[in-house]
Amino acid sequence: MKKCNARGAALIWVVLATSVMAVISAGLIAISLSYYNSQKADSMDITQSYLNAKSGIETVYSCISSVPDSTSTERMIYDKISALSVGDETDISFSSSDDGEYVTVNVKRETELTLILTSTSNASSDECVLMAKAEQQPFESTPIWDSLVYID
């Protein structure tokens, strides 16, 4: 009778099983990493949209929180907002030439001493809308806005 090599066959089965498990593990890791990266990209778009909207409000607020130079773009925004009557509103748009993203800030004069700023931003397909209230202290000699509060 012929005696077969049982140890060699067991060693081949162990190597083969380990190789199959390694290939399956690598595939699962690749799938999970691609899913994680797609979720991360979506989260980054939402975050970018939020930051753009907040930047729009901060830019408009900085234009009205002090009287800018008479020839600057900030002065045009300041004059446009200062000319609003109670109940009137206007839109101010900002765009980026690099990636085409834009922010529109709607400014509404709620009362003589209160402005409502609504900023809308589109980053990729995600839209973010932020609202803030700017208030002016009564009895000031110049119309300077000194309080900005974000509204939910």
Side-chain angles (χ1 to χ4, degrees):
M1 257 201 271
K2 237 180 166 184
K3 190 176 182 184
C4 64
N5 189 353
R7 281 192 169 153
L11 183 60
I12 290 175
W13 277 107
V14 168
V15 170
L16 183 63
T18 305
S19 300
V20 168
M21 287 180 13
V23 168
I24 291 173
S25 297
L28 289 174
I29 289 171
I31 289 170
S32 65
L33 281 176
S34 74
Y35 177 75
Y36 171 75
N37 287 335
S38 71
Q39 292 296 323
K40 186 176 176 183
D42 290 344
S43 174
M44 286 176 50
D45 286 345
I46 293 168
T47 302
Q48 187 62 50
S49 186
Y50 168 79
L51 292 174
N52 288 352
K54 187 171 182 181
S55 177
I57 287 178
E58 299 281 334
T59 301
V60 170
Y61 181 72
S62 72
C63 292
I64 62 172
S65 62
S66 64
V67 180
D69 296 335
S70 62
T71 59
S72 65
T73 305
E74 289 86 5
R75 180 60 185 226
M76 288 187 292
I77 294 171
Y78 177 85
D79 291 341
K80 190 174 187 180
I81 293 172
S82 296
L84 291 176
S85 300
V86 174
D88 288 348
E89 59 185 75
T90 186
D91 286 336
I92 300 166
S93 295
F94 305 97
S95 65
S96 169
S97 60
D98 295 339
D99 51 14
E101 294 177 359
Y102 63 92
V103 176
T104 301
V105 180
N106 177 278
V107 181
K108 180 178 182 182
R109 186 175 287 271
E110 189 175 54
T111 67
E112 198 60 42
L113 302 174
T114 306
L115 292 176
I116 300 295
L117 307 167
T118 305
S119 180
T120 305
S121 170
N122 292 317
S124 297
S125 61
D126 296 316
E127 181 178 85
C128 181
V129 177
L130 275 180
M131 291 182 69
K133 180 187 273 190
E135 293 183 340
Q136 178 184 6
Q137 294 299 321
F139 311 114
E140 291 288 329
S141 59
T142 57
I144 307 261
W145 303 87
D146 60 356
S147 173
L148 181 68
V149 178
Y150 286 92
I151 304 168
D152 287 335

